[in-house]
């Protein structure tokens, strides 16, 4: 294990739409990535949209032709357009683009120059916004040579419709179910970056959805929650949690010993699951890629042998910049699959011009 020297992939955003809600650019805050053929879908945790980039011909791998898709056009969000969705990861499965928000509570931060009393009063305010509790899928359809999103498509048994997990401005079906859980009920109230409940990874395998938690971390153990969202019978725009087998559980739990790191992203690699792990708090620390052998086909709760999980490689990070946040496998014709990595708080050395940024492409060790 060790650091590898990556190739570069250029991501080019449209100057006309390259602004997030905080007036930052997309290249400053990428949080998730998914791919289908020659198209990349990327997300930021400070927007209410997902972005499409298409591969363009050239000497260096480049994705451009940027298009923005406002989530509100496909789904009715609990907080409407008032609050960001905090989209943390994306995946593509079954003809859908899946997305997940952090589900994390957030602590209000005092402004500069506040009095001691106001600082104390402000730091006591912790809340979870409804849009952050987003778990949704939107149909992907082909329009000419490009892929796009649709509110609904198909007919009969092939009909697909955009839907999100049932919830309101205070939470959703998952947070309600976990409110009685022996491991997670006490972690829903603290902010995510203070070892509270915080989803940052998403991988979809058939009808099962795997959610990787940045927090909480239990000593050295991180967690993945597995659920089965299905369309609600009388409300096709909503998803409900189906129960697992004879145990009738609404979710399963998997615990991974990641040396005290939390999960920052997930992606499938054949029957395995690649796990990107990093610090729980917003501090500089190691970022490591692990392989859970057979993790993309697991159907038994908490039955993982130590040999099934092993580190693959360390990823480079900067001091206060270049935090690896999104990963997707790029299949290769030479038999050496690559891992595409996008970064939050990308350093200026990755910038090109006013709107371009470099992602990294690593050969995945065998």
């Amino acid at each position: 294990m060790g650091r590898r020297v990556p190739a570069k992939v250029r991501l080019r955003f449209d100057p006309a739409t390259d602004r997030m809600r905080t007036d930052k650019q997309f290249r400053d805050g990428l949080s998730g990535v998914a791919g289908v053929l020659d198209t990349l879908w990327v997300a930021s945790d400070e927007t209410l949209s997902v972005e499409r980039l298409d591969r363009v011909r050239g000497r260096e791998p480049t994705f451009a032709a940027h298009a923005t898709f406002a989530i509100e056009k496909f789904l009715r969000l609990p907080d409407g357009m008032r609050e960001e969705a905090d989209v943390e990861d994306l995946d593509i499965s079954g003809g859908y683009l899946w997305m997940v928000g952090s589900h994390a509570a957030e602590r209000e931060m005092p402004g500069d120059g506040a009095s001691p009393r106001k600082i104390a009063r402000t730091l006591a305010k912790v809340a979870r916004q409804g849009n952050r509790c987003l778990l949704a899928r939107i149909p992907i359809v082909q329009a000419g040579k490009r892929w796009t999103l649709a509110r609904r498509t198909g007919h009969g048994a092939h009909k697909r419709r955009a839907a999100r997990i049932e919830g309101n401005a205070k939470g959703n079906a998952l947070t309600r179910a976990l409110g009685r859980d022996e491991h997670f009920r006490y972690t829903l109230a603290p902010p995510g970056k203070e070892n509270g409940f915080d989803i940052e990874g998403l991988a979809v395998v058939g009808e099962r959805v795997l959610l990787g938690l940045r927090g909480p971390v239990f000593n050295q153990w991180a967690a993945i929650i597995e659920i089965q969202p299905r369309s609600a019978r009388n409300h096709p725009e909503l998803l409900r949690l189906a129960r697992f087998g004879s145990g009738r559980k609404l979710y399963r739990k998997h615990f991974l010993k990641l040396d005290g790191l939390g999960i920052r992203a997930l992606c499938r690699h054949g029957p395995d699951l690649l796990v990107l792990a990093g610090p729980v708090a917003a501090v500089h620390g190691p970022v490591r890629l692990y392989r859970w052998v057979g993790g993309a086909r697991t159907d038994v709760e908490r039955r993982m042998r130590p040999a099934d999980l092993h580190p693959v490689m360390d990823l480079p990070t900067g001091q206060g910049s270049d935090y690896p946040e999104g990963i997707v496998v790029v299949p290769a014709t030479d038999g050496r699959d690559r891992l595409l990595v996008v970064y939050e708080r990308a350093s200026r050395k990755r910038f090109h011009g006013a709107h371009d940024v470099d992602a990294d492409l690593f050969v995945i060790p065998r």
Side-chain angles (χ1 to χ4, degrees):
M1 189 183 72
R3 288 192 173 93
R4 269 71 175 178
V5 177
K8 300 298 181 183
V9 176
R10 185 76 54 85
L11 307 182
R12 179 170 297 154
F13 294 96
D14 184 356
T17 57
D18 188 15
R19 278 291 182 272
M20 299 190 292
R21 292 166 64 89
T22 57
D23 207 36
K24 293 181 182 178
Q25 294 178 299
F26 286 112
R27 66 183 183 179
D28 295 321
L30 299 177
S31 59
V33 60
V36 54
L37 299 178
D38 288 330
T39 298
L40 283 182
W41 298 89
V42 297
S44 166
D45 57 8
E46 296 186 19
T47 68
L48 279 167
S49 65
V50 291
E51 318 303 315
R52 185 194 68 201
L53 298 169
D54 291 331
R55 178 78 178 264
V56 296
R57 301 291 180 182
R59 288 186 302 173
E60 297 181 348
T62 301
F63 286 83
H66 173 209
T68 294
F69 295 83
I71 298 173
E72 178 74 5
K73 291 185 177 179
F74 306 95
L75 302 161
R76 181 175 294 178
L77 299 174
D79 293 322
M81 300 295 287
R82 294 174 299 164
E83 300 290 341
E84 65 191 27
D86 200 22
V87 176
E88 293 289 356
D89 207 358
L90 304 171
D91 198 8
I92 293 172
S93 181
Y96 291 98
L97 177 67
W98 287 81
M99 60 196 70
V100 67
S102 67
H103 289 59
E106 187 176 30
R107 188 181 302 280
E108 189 173 328
M109 301 305 293
D112 294 337
S115 67
R117 179 178 295 180
K118 188 170 183 179
I119 290 173
R121 188 166 59 246
T122 302
L123 289 174
K125 297 178 181 178
V126 178
R128 175 181 289 102
Q129 304 295 339
N131 283 1
R132 286 172 164 256
C133 296
L134 177 70
L135 175 61
R137 64 187 189 190
I138 301 175
I140 295 180
V141 297
Q142 196 162 13
K145 295 183 179 181
R146 286 182 171 167
W147 295 91
T148 188
L149 301 181
R151 195 180 186 98
R152 61 176 66 86
T153 185
H155 302 279
H158 301 287
K159 188 174 182 178
R160 290 177 286 138
R161 179 170 179 158
R164 64 171 176 85
I165 195 168
E166 179 273 328
N168 54 34
K170 295 183 179 180
N172 63 18
L174 178 60
T175 58
R176 287 198 300 271
L178 294 176
R180 299 181 293 274
D181 184 82
E182 61 184 341
H183 293 103
F184 299 111
R185 60 187 173 187
Y186 299 116
T187 71
L188 292 169
K193 293 179 177 59
E194 298 175 24
N195 207 36
F197 189 81
D198 189 357
I199 299 173
E200 288 212 2
L202 171 69
V204 183
V205 185
E207 293 186 338
R208 298 181 295 113
V209 173
L210 302 175
L211 304 171
L213 304 187
R214 177 174 176 172
V217 170
F218 303 97
N219 198 337
Q220 298 186 59
W221 297 81
I224 290 177
I225 294 176
E226 179 183 345
I227 58 175
Q228 291 187 115
R230 293 179 183 170
S231 296
R233 181 174 300 177
N234 298 322
H235 299 279
E237 75 284 2
L238 296 177
L239 300 173
R240 62 178 179 83
L241 296 184
R243 296 184 182 273
F244 286 95
S246 58
R248 307 297 292 164
K249 293 183 178 180
L250 291 172
Y251 56 88
R252 290 171 171 163
K253 297 175 287 187
H254 307 279
F255 294 100
L256 288 67
K257 194 173 184 180
L258 302 181
D259 304 313
L261 301 176
I263 296 171
R264 307 300 288 268
L266 299 174
C267 74
R268 291 165 284 128
H269 189 206
D272 301 339
L273 195 68
L274 297 180
V275 181
L276 183 69
V280 176
V283 298
H284 179 73
V287 176
R288 189 165 296 144
L289 186 73
Y290 293 82
R291 180 183 297 275
W292 177 5
V293 177
R297 63 185 178 194
T298 181
D299 59 358
V300 179
E301 182 179 21
R302 290 181 289 178
R303 289 189 183 178
M304 184 193 305
R305 298 170 300 177
D308 292 339
L309 182 71
H310 57 86
V312 176
M313 61 180 174
D314 289 339
L315 297 180
T317 63
Q319 288 287 347
S321 65
D322 282 348
Y323 298 135
E325 282 289 316
I327 57 175
V328 65
V329 170
V330 180
T333 57
D334 62 0
R336 304 177 71 193
D337 292 345
R338 270 71 172 175
L339 187 76
L340 180 69
V341 182
V342 299
Y343 294 84
E344 185 179 29
R345 299 184 190 176
S347 61
R348 291 191 174 275
K349 67 182 180 182
R350 295 184 177 276
F351 290 179
H352 298 274
H355 302 277
D356 295 8
V357 66
D358 280 342
D360 283 339
L361 197 63
F362 296 89
V363 173
I364 302 174
R366 296 177 180 175

